[in-house]
Amino acid sequence: MTSTDPAGLARPSLEPPAQAPTDAPHAAGPAPGAPSPRAGRSAPSCHGDSGGAGAGPHAARVALLGAPNVGKSTLFNAITGARRTVGNWPGTTVEVGTGVWPQRSGAPTPWTVLDLPGAYSLDPASPDEALTRDIVLGTATTDRGHRAHDATEAPDVAVVAIDAAHLARSLYLVAQLREHAVPTVTAMTMGDVAARRGTRVDPQALQDYLGVPVVPVDPRRGVGIDALAARVADALRAAESTGCGCGPAAGRAAALPPGPTTIDDLDAADARFAWIDGAVRAAVTHDTSAREPWSDRVDRVVTAPVLGPMIFLAVMWLVFQVTTTVAAPLQDALDSFFTGPVTDAATGLLGAIGLRETPVSGFVVDGLIAGVGMLLTFVPLMALMFLLLALLEDSGYMARAAVVTDRLMRRLGLPGQAFLPLVVGFGCNVPAISATRILGHARQRLLVALLVPFTSCSARLTVYVMLASVFFPEHAGTVVFAMYLTSIALVVLVGMALRTTLWRTMGSDPLVLHLPPYQRPTARLTLSVMWTRLEGFLRTAGGIIVATVSLVWLLQQVPVRSGSFGAVDVADSLYGVLAQAISPLFGPAGFDQWQSVSALIVGFVAKEAVISSWAQTYAVADSSTGAGAQALAAHIESAFAASSGGHTVAAVLAFMVFLLAYTPCVATLAAQRREIGWRWTAFGIAIQLSVAYVLAVLVFQIGSKIGG
Amino acid sequence: MRFDTSLDRVPTRATVWCAEVDLGSRTARRLAELGVRPGVPLTVQSRTSGHGLIVSVGGVRVALDAAAASGIHVLTAAPVPLPVPA
């Protein structure tokens, strides 16, 4: 799977999916010394997750780039006030974010800021790196493969985030940008980490050597942003006045190697590394008395051969244990609030306008308030889980987890980095599908995109918690943890099955993973990440719940067997009849009950709506008991007991396993279609439904035999 | 090129010098970008599961699996620069 580039150097073919950026040779970029682009700008359109609009078609465009995990997205957030997902692990940004550099952050006029995926160089090893290269050089393509940006639409200034603690790995990109005559300003991050390691970087000496401005910043605390804006403004003015993309300090720069089009690529790379070594010698001093960094001592423990995996499992267990136990009382309080005062007030209000005991009352009280209220009771739980995962990411632990799980990933023919999108999947499958772009091989991306739906997303957690607290009140945390272990097992087993059948020849690069230094999580960053995810969950779930509640309500009003529109028993409605037609299929799995089967059908749209659908069905069927959590639990308990012939535990476990393994939601399918196409998406759905059904039947049949 | 052993055989906490990276162009380039290039000193920090290791290079910590470590050939003493012809 190699091709030959113009320099005659064999390089892997990336085989990008239809929508991924192409791996065009970098000779397609502007020639060194070409005039800096100025006019005809437009907002980027490469990928969906734009993170916000730019500053308008005539605003200057500032691209933010750098090696993975140097704090680009944190810097982007500090500049724009946006809340992009950030994490102390490589590969957090896989799509382009767009924002505005406002005047309050030092810009004389608002600029458009692009947050690009991390890249060590302009020689991409994966589609996300190719995207960065193409945008910076103005050769990005649209979803249909056309050029989205011609040379006139390249960014006006590149701000390269460089890591003071690991300067050498940050500067290769700077060397290449200068060869391509891209006006460049560097923002030096991680000064605190460097200081702790006994490393001191002289920004002035570095600036003199590089020939581009060097601005120390601390985006986690919002320090240095105004100074950075001032240097970007200088660079914009200098580029406009000279027409050369050299940056304001270029005159003093140390000699740079010639561009890759004039000498062999390997020689060019050697010359760049020599230049980088010179920069490090000129600007960096090490305190040789500095003690061994404590992070090395921690690494020795958390990545140790036996202890490391045990610590990883213990950490994950703790996350789910803390999440379920701490959130429980808050959930109860919120549930009481919605089923008590809120429901009473709505009922009173509807009574006052003469709508009591009407279908409208059913829609508002049993549908909207029950559904949305049920969703809101999960806010403390989700907030706590997002908070704990954000702490783990911000601290740097997640990169170590990728090392620990590397061996497991190898069995699937995947590199350790494949663990990262899978971990993202435990939060939400949709961004996880996009995160597969950090992988270099097309087959690896396809395999991971097919495995991501088996990672148990946070929406499924709501149903586990609800069922576990009803049926296993003493061991709810452990049961939920077991579901996550089952999820991991499914990823491994399905991955191994695909590997041994479809992808026997799939190669895999050796693991080479940069371990970012540990850092103390900041409240500002952690809370910001938590809120971004919580907001995303609420926005998605809120919209889906209102939509599905409305649809379910409508289907429940349509008579099939008896009654008239708006006055029909739910079992005789279109909703009930459809679910009853399907439910016998689930007899062998122990939950042949139309109420639960209909919840699963709704769950195909989104798992967030499973509980609200249950609540709505039972509340409409029996309005005397209301829609509270206790009433719902009682209904579900008796339904499972009846359908399973007394083997309630086995039936509940079978239901939970089915819920874990079948298609997560339509949004995930849309993300899969974008990354791997319809055919593979349909293949994935077939696998998910087959695995879910077979597993649910096995769990019930075996569980009921051994007395569940 | 002359080398003494491969990185996977180097004991923990020992410092060696990278002589050659024999891992294919993609991996070799990624290693070079992280600082693992011929001539630079590498210190093995610790061992990880599956016979992998964590190596320190110029302040950067890089995790390598067994395959990557075995493809990095090293010298156990600092390389002596060749004399420049007069």
Side-chain angles (χ1 to χ4, degrees), chain A residues 318-576:
Chain A
L318 204 62
V319 166
F320 297 115
Q321 191 65 18
V322 168
T323 302
T324 48
T325 51
V326 174
L330 293 167
Q331 275 189 278
D332 290 345
L334 277 171
D335 179 59
S336 307
F337 175 68
F338 283 107
T339 52
V342 175
T343 302
D344 292 347
T347 309
L349 203 65
L350 288 164
I353 55 174
L355 291 174
R356 185 173 232 150
E357 303 291 329
T358 63
V360 174
S361 162
F363 175 64
V364 173
V365 176
D366 302 330
L368 289 182
I369 294 178
V372 176
M374 193 65 78
L375 170 77
L376 291 176
T377 62
F378 285 98
V379 166
L381 185 132
M382 305 306 267
L384 206 54
M385 195 186 69
F386 290 145
L387 179 74
L388 294 173
L389 290 180
L391 281 173
L392 288 177
E393 289 173 14
D394 195 22
S395 68
Y397 176 73
M398 282 302 190
R400 277 73 185 176
V403 175
V404 166
T405 52
D406 178 64
R407 204 176 176 188
L408 193 62
M409 291 288 118
R410 295 270 145 204
R411 304 223 162 170
L412 311 181
L414 295 171
Q417 290 94 322
F419 167 75
L420 302 179
L422 292 172
V423 163
V424 173
F426 282 101
C428 176
N429 286 185
V430 178
I433 300 282
S434 300
T436 58
R437 290 181 206 172
I438 64 170
L439 299 171
H441 292 285
R443 286 186 177 191
Q444 291 173 351
R445 290 196 296 277
L446 177 55
L447 179 55
V448 176
L450 289 173
L451 294 179
V452 161
F454 291 105
T455 59
S456 187
C457 65
S458 51
R460 279 170 264 192
L461 175 65
T462 58
V463 190
Y464 303 152
V465 170
M466 193 254 188
L467 290 174
S469 56
V470 169
F471 292 97
F472 315 98
E474 301 295 317
H475 308 287
T478 306
V479 169
V480 172
F481 180 61
M483 292 309 296
Y484 280 84
L485 288 185
T486 309
S487 170
I488 293 169
L490 277 179
V491 168
V492 173
L493 293 174
V494 174
M496 286 173 82
L498 291 175
R499 176 88 206 278
T500 50
T501 52
L502 294 175
W503 286 292
R504 285 186 204 178
T505 57
M506 183 164 66
S508 176
D509 289 336
L511 175 76
V512 175
L513 187 67
H514 170 240
L515 297 179
Y518 289 103
Q519 57 192 16
R520 189 180 306 131
T522 58
R524 174 179 150 162
L525 188 61
T526 307
L527 291 174
S528 155
V529 170
M530 182 199 83
W531 172 244
T532 306
R533 291 180 182 166
L534 189 63
E535 192 185 24
F537 172 78
L538 285 174
R539 191 176 294 149
T540 311
I544 284 168
I545 286 203
V546 170
T548 49
V549 157
S550 305
L551 183 67
V552 166
W553 177 81
L554 195 67
L555 292 174
Q556 287 179 344
Q557 307 310 312
V558 178
V560 173
R561 291 206 194 101
S562 62
S564 59
F565 187 85
V568 55
D569 189 64
V570 69
D572 295 329
S573 71
L574 182 57
Y575 182 80

Side-chain angles (χ1 to χ4, degrees), chain A residues 124-334:
Chain A
S126 59
D128 59 320
E129 291 188 358
L131 180 60
T132 292
R133 190 268 320 270
D134 290 345
I135 287 179
V136 169
L137 300 184
T139 57
T141 55
T142 65
D143 282 0
R144 289 186 174 81
H146 303 308
R147 281 161 70 102
H149 309 275
D150 57 24
T152 61
E153 292 176 313
D156 299 296
V157 169
V159 172
V160 184
I162 58 173
D163 175 355
H166 309 109
L167 202 55
R169 81 180 177 104
S170 304
L171 294 180
Y172 195 87
L173 200 53
V174 177
Q176 287 188 306
L177 286 172
R178 286 183 49 80
E179 290 163 19
H180 285 280
V182 177
T184 303
V185 174
T186 60
M188 191 165 69
T189 61
M190 309 280 178
D192 51 342
V193 176
R196 280 204 301 276
R197 293 197 158 195
T199 301
R200 206 182 75 78
V201 181
D202 181 345
Q204 188 59 50
L206 187 61
Q207 175 169 306
D208 290 344
Y209 188 93
L210 300 180
V212 297
V214 175
V215 184
V217 296
D218 184 353
R220 282 155 59 88
R221 292 171 181 81
V223 175
I225 306 300
D226 285 351
L228 183 62
R231 304 316 298 267
V232 171
D234 290 345
L236 283 167
R237 273 195 298 274
E240 275 174 7
S241 62
T242 62
C244 108
C246 319
R252 301 189 301 274
L256 272 169
T261 52
T262 55
I263 59 171
D264 182 82
D265 262 9
L266 289 173
D267 289 343
D270 284 345
R272 288 183 200 119
F273 286 128
W275 183 74
I276 290 166
D277 288 344
V280 172
R281 275 196 303 275
V284 179
T285 50
H286 294 285
D287 176 6
T288 49
S289 65
R291 294 190 306 131
E292 178 193 34
W294 62 268
S295 69
D296 286 337
R297 291 199 291 274
V298 176
D299 277 348
R300 248 177 229 131
V301 177
V302 299
T303 62
V306 179
L307 203 54
M310 288 169 67
I311 291 174
F312 171 68
L313 283 179
V315 166
M316 290 299 146
W317 179 81
L318 204 62
V319 166
F320 297 115
Q321 191 65 18
V322 168
T323 302
T324 48
T325 51
V326 174
L330 293 167
Q331 275 189 278
D332 290 345
L334 277 171

